[in-house]
Amino acid sequence: MDPFDSNSAERANLPRNMIENSMFEEEPDVVDLAKDSAAFPTFPALDPDEVVFEPRSSRLLVRGLGENEMDEEEEDCESSARLLGMSFMNRSSSLRPNSSPYTRQNPPRSCSRPSARTMVVCVLFLVIVASMTMVLYFLPECTFTRAGCRKPNNTTPQEIVYPIATNGELFPWAQFRLPHSIRPLSYNLTLSPDLDNMTFTGRTVINMYVLHNTKRIILHSANLHITKATFKLGDGEANDVTILEYKPRQQIAIKFSAELKSDQYCVLTLDYSANFSQTYDGFYNSSYTDKDGNKNVLAATQFEPLSARKAFPCFDEPSFKATFLITINRKTNYTAVSNMPLAKSTPLSGGLIQDEFEKTTVNMSTYLVAFIVANFTPISKNVSNIQVSVYSVPEKKEHTEYALETASQLLEFYNTFFEIDYPLKKLDLVAIPDFLAGAMENWGLITFRETSLLVGKQSSPLEKQVVASVVAHELAHQWFGNLVTMSWWNDLWLNEGFATYMQYMSLQKTMPQLDIGNLFLAVRFRAMDKDALNSSHAVSTEVNTKEQVEEMFDSVSYEKGASILLMLNASLPGDQQFRKGIIQYLKQFSGLNTDTADLWNSLTQVSTQHQNVSEMMSSWTSQKGFPLVTVSRKGDQVTLTQEHFLLTSDNATHTSSLWNIPVTYVNDSCSFAPECRQVFNLKTKTGTFKLPESVKWLKLNYRNSGFYIVHYGNEGWAALKDALSNNVSVLTHEDRAALIHNIFALSRLGRVSFHQVLTLLNYMSNETETTPVMEALLQLESIHRLLDKRQEEALVARMKNYILHNFGSLMDKQTWGEEESVSKQELRSALLQMACSLNEKKCIQQAKALFKQHVESNGTLRIPGDLQQVVFTVAAQSDEGWETLLQMYGHATFDADKRKMLQGLASTQNIRQLVWILKAGLSGNIIQTQELPLVINTMVKGFAGHLFVWDFVQENWDRLIEKFSVGSFAIQTIVKSATFQFSTQAHLDQVQSFFSGLKERGSQMRSVQEALETIRLNQRWMDKNLPILQKWL
Ligand SMILES: [Zn+2]
């Protein structure tokens, strides 16, 4: 999924997290019957799933069974699971705290010719490996939910505490994750949506296989009213069964008096009815008004991560893959599409048509199922025997051509790159008028926001870049995610980090004119800014609640995931080894589920230089944050020291984290070309290497392909600044941008003074390249905004003068006509937005003139796409301009233009208008509710909006979490936007008190921790730097 809307500048501005849940915590919603064991009837059934893991002694505790009686059953469980290709290794790496994170790889090669000392080390290592293997052997028996892995009593095994089902009976399952005793093999779904009454009925037939003896079947269902349930075992007769439901975990259960035996097949048939979902997930209805003012209704799905269960009862976890046969009964005036091609259409009574789609040819996770009932129009093309189609509402058909061409080109690229052909016969890309995420990679039926797929004839290259990169991301998922899927959401990065990496990589190769590298560089900087917080989390991290699953969709899974893959690729010899490794991984695990170690093992297997990829990469996926590498030189000796780059308001916090860093460096004798790059592997706290004494300066992290920050010491920074002042071209533009990013980060960390930052920026009078200028502007703007929100008016004025003094001539040079180069568009829109936001006279005049021309020409005289936002923002500052813009917004049909108008509208400082926009966004009538996060994120940039939004969020919290679920990307954005510019104790207290009062309505979110941490850091930065700014600005 691409949870981000297409406003790329905001992409990496994701909230972070910090909930380090104790896995032994009691589930708050479970009735603690264990305290009164007499009142608690035990379930004699013994599912292997019910075995309780005791982490301290690795003993297995099973209620009613002695320890030694377990062996046979376990073995059976593990072996049959292997047989079916299920991955039981899906354990959060954080659950192997003291073990080597590399447990699943081959024994180290260093043991082959051992010295005595090595022997001892090796033997010790083997012992550890052996004990860990035993632990892992037993691990499958615990699904590691907090309820499932509790501390046992020393003498008697602890009772499992079951919750109460809706009908008052005990619900026979007490964990968040489903048991593994039953495996679904195929689903037969029939859905009858009624778009007039906003309801649907369905029948789900699930063919299942019994893996282990059990007396119950547990699966997911949410907001479905089940009207009839029958169960058939083997060739027996179908009998009615009672369905128990436990709503807090969205689970249903069937209890049996006699055990279902392993290796048996069975069929569960469920009939149900439901209302369409009123949010953006599940099977939801939506409407749009066409050019003629007619309202059109449609129904679409969005299941990732946990919402397939809202459309049909299912085993809604990614490792329960199955095949799907989908049938949809619709009215004649709609068409239906699904993952697979249409097999046949049959007329039914009552003027309905029954569309039956082909059965999926591949096993698929439930979150990838999709269907849409609407009156969309497609355009199609045959690409390597695959029918590629792009669907939109009929009046936007002319905007689909670019997406079709891009998707076709990328499909062929991926077919070749992965050496595995796209496995389905068709690929549909559908633009949905009302869609919250950027896009969703449903297999064969990818859904998009209109802005992520539609491109007008006049769209700017920057708008095409947005569409191409979302299409590239979702297409990469057809292999990474769909064909090979993470076993559990803790490893979401395997899907998302990879798709994000591939989106940049594939576009660099296929469409170099889109300059996608600049965007990738910027998102890596933003990912670091977030990952520097204490509230960040490891790439692969434990996930035990619905909210935690939602929160995995953040910049760590996406951008940091992509960044460490870039670093790995850059550190491997040759340009094919990385590709070989991922081909090996995709082929080996095709149709299956994996965890992070599987990927590293595949890459290690193809390593030509016996590089242990697992060893290196585990240090990047199993611990949060990233390293700061400090350079010091003495004569010809260079010493590198690593430590955790941790921004925290508490200076005393230290962590012992160590990374295996492929440090790259260049020096003044050769610094630009790729051949100049040298590599030093820093695995320990410090490391040294030699350089000729004549070397004047060093630049580490060549082209910023590594995920670390470098501190050069006072002399090192001064030498680099001198070199750049003489000639900016001694370093690549990525290296220059990285120096700027790094020195601001070091200033936040307190390692360099703000005066040093300003000294480096002196070189910028010669800088004209996009990425360093954009990075400097972004950093200065964030300080300018903090000062503005603190009402430090004298400093705000001085900062304005500083920016205009340093960038004024570059701003002056920018043109206002159409521009073809993406990079130049990025540069000028950043410069002009800054100039106009600082009220620079010439910029304001130009923007006003362009708006006037546009209005007077009735829209025929177009404003270049990359300048629309700056023009609309200037226009919206007058009441008259704002009203005109609102009119234009009401009539505009092209979504990309519309969003820029909306951002203009939201930039107003007029309270009455602010209130109106927020209300409209909440009701969804004139402004779609999906745009609310964007509206809020824009509003807070202004002083009035900043204070007003915070009030709005507090007052409307319950309505907001009705629209966007707790932990979702939308809520993360809202929490972060509303608070990230506060820098006083009073605001910190307010924010803390508001969120802690929410309890289960959001107080546990990582984004809340991030918000609090950010305010504290702002506070600290202000305390320290206000006097310095007074002195130096
Ligand atoms: Zn994705």
Side-chain angles (χ1 to χ4, degrees), residues 519-540:
L519 180 60
F520 191 21
L521 182 66
V523 301
R524 299 206 296 279
F525 291 148
R526 304 290 79 77
M528 282 187 149
D529 295 346
K530 300 295 181 181
D531 201 28
L533 297 177
N534 201 23
S535 48
S536 189
H537 62 94
V539 168
S540 181

Side-chain angles (χ1 to χ4, degrees), residues 1-3 304 439 441 473-474 477 495-496 499-500 558:
M1 178 162 57
D2 185 351
E304 193 183 24
E441 69 266 21
H473 179 103
E474 304 308 330
H477 272 312
N495 275 13
E496 298 302 351
T500 306
Y558 285 74

Side-chain angles (χ1 to χ4, degrees), residues 770 774 814-820 822-834 864-867 870:
T770 303
M774 283 182 72
Q814 302 309 309
T815 58
W816 291 76
E818 290 291 349
E819 167 62 63
E820 278 310 304
V822 174
S823 184
K824 284 186 181 153
Q825 283 196 353
E826 287 170 333
L827 179 67
R828 80 168 177 187
S829 68
L831 282 163
L832 294 177
Q833 271 183 49
M834 175 62 102
D866 60 309
L867 297 179
V870 58

Side-chain angles (χ1 to χ4, degrees), residues 944-968:
H946 150 78
L947 292 178
F948 193 74
V949 159
W950 172 232
D951 285 345
F952 170 83
V953 168
Q954 293 176 84
E955 274 164 32
N956 296 284
W957 183 257
D958 286 335
R959 288 189 68 189
L960 289 171
I961 57 171
E962 237 171 63
K963 308 271 181 192
F964 316 107
S965 45
V966 173
S968 65

Side-chain angles (χ1 to χ4, degrees), residues 126-145:
L126 285 172
V127 169
I128 293 169
V129 169
S131 21
M132 283 317 299
T133 314
M134 289 192 60
V135 171
L136 284 176
Y137 181 71
F138 293 128
L139 277 180
E141 311 315 320
C142 166
T143 40
F144 270 111
T145 64

